[in-house]
Amino acid sequence: MVPTITLNDKTRIPQLGFGTYLIPPEETAGIVGQALQVGYRHIDTAQMYGNEEGVGAAIAASGVPREELYVTSKLNNGNHRPDDVRRSFDETMNRLGLERLDLFLMHWPLPTLYDGDYVSTWKAITGLVADGRLRTAGVSNFQPDHLDRIITETGVVPAVNQIEAHPYFANDAAREASHRHGIAVEAWSPLGQGGAVLEDEKITEIAAAHGRTTSQVILRWHIQRGDIVFPKTTRRERMVENFGLFDFSLTPQQVEAISALDKGERGRVGPHPDTFDYVPD
């Protein structure tokens, strides 16, 4: 039911997944378990979220065959040094209870930290693929110059760039740079963290025309643009709602109307990758 996208390493990724950002660790197993029951097979977590163990517990309890699942995690900002990449990846695998991970991302480039060296971090992540423990390597929150640098200096193109993207912040520069390199775009915060975008007059009008919710229309807009999305919710009814994207389509004019809502940098809700330097304790 959920379409897949072929990545530049010839692997395939489900275009719709389930996000786990800000889900409390003690609630993760139950909530992810519900998502798996609804039909989600692509789960996105991160070392920084602190809930990998809960994701692993949900997978173990689900009875879903491993080959039907696609699991992503991301490198914590405190683990950029190559030895820390390898050590923390082992810890991620132990917490998830997996022998092989589908996708591992460098969560942030952190160009103002580690002497500006995110290239050695990228080399260490790609080394995990060579070791056979990781299927696909990618990045997150990478700007055009970040992508150009790691590709020029290593010759290895990420399969995925996970960036902030939603109707109020199209993030066109990062998106276009990713596509120029043949990198698939994953959209985090695809609903703009809720609020105003879900009440936008134009999106509300389009939703009414289709008999859909505004969140379904926004997610469908992402799907038709070719983005990979993984909306997060803790409510089962919203899981079901967000899963219902594949029995209707927006017209080209409707897609263009939503794209025209872009506010540029004024629409950004998350930190800017050029200056973000948070390292958890």
Side-chain angles (χ1 to χ4, degrees), residues 206 210 217-218 220-221 224 248-252 254-255 258:
I206 294 171
H210 287 277
V217 164
I218 293 170
R220 183 67 202 179
W221 170 77
Q224 290 185 216
F248 79 105
S249 295
L250 304 177
T251 67
Q254 289 169 336
V255 171
I258 295 173

Side-chain angles (χ1 to χ4, degrees), residues 185-199:
V185 170
E186 292 188 328
W188 66 258
S189 200
L191 300 175
Q193 296 184 1
V197 69
L198 291 176
E199 299 174 0

Side-chain angles (χ1 to χ4, degrees), residues 32-53:
V32 173
Q34 289 187 59
L36 293 170
Q37 290 171 8
V38 168
Y40 290 87
R41 294 294 181 263
H42 173 185
I43 307 297
D44 181 276
T45 184
Q47 293 176 354
M48 197 183 299
Y49 300 170
N51 57 21
E52 290 173 319
E53 189 171 354

Side-chain angles (χ1 to χ4, degrees), residues 118-199:
Y118 45 85
V119 175
S120 62
T121 307
W122 176 237
K123 288 180 180 178
I125 291 175
T126 60
L128 299 171
V129 178
D131 289 346
R133 295 178 292 168
L134 175 64
R135 186 177 167 204
T136 297
V139 296
S140 181
N141 299 298
F142 267 51
Q143 296 283 81
D145 59 322
H146 303 147
L147 293 173
D148 291 343
R149 181 181 172 194
I150 62 171
I151 293 168
T152 297
E153 295 189 29
T154 71
V156 182
V157 180
V160 165
N161 187 15
Q162 186 179 119
I163 59 175
E164 178 183 344
H166 47 81
Y168 283 178
F169 182 59
N171 208 351
D172 282 336
R175 195 166 181 273
E176 291 168 4
S178 298
H179 289 164
R180 172 166 48 84
H181 288 295
I183 301 169
V185 170
E186 292 188 328
W188 66 258
S189 200
L191 300 175
Q193 296 184 1
V197 69
L198 291 176
E199 299 174 0

Side-chain angles (χ1 to χ4, degrees), residues 2-3 13-25 27-46 49 51-52 54-56 58-59 68-74 96 103 105 162 186-191 219 223 228-246:
V2 176
I13 183 172
Q15 199 175 1
L16 174 68
F18 184 76
T20 63
Y21 178 56
L22 294 181
I23 295 181
E27 299 177 17
T28 301
I31 291 171
V32 173
Q34 289 187 59
L36 293 170
Q37 290 171 8
V38 168
Y40 290 87
R41 294 294 181 263
H42 173 185
I43 307 297
D44 181 276
T45 184
Y49 300 170
N51 57 21
E52 290 173 319
V55 170
I59 290 171
E68 294 183 13
L69 296 171
Y70 195 99
V71 184
T72 299
S73 193
K74 312 177 197 74
L96 290 169
L103 177 63
L105 308 178
Q162 186 179 119
E186 292 188 328
W188 66 258
S189 200
L191 300 175
L219 294 173
I223 293 294
I228 300 159
V229 291
F230 34 89
K232 176 230 128 180
T233 181
T234 59
R235 295 162 48 194
R236 187 184 182 98
E237 64 269 22
R238 289 296 304 278
M239 296 178 194
V240 173
E241 176 186 325
N242 292 339
F243 203 75
L245 307 178
F246 306 106

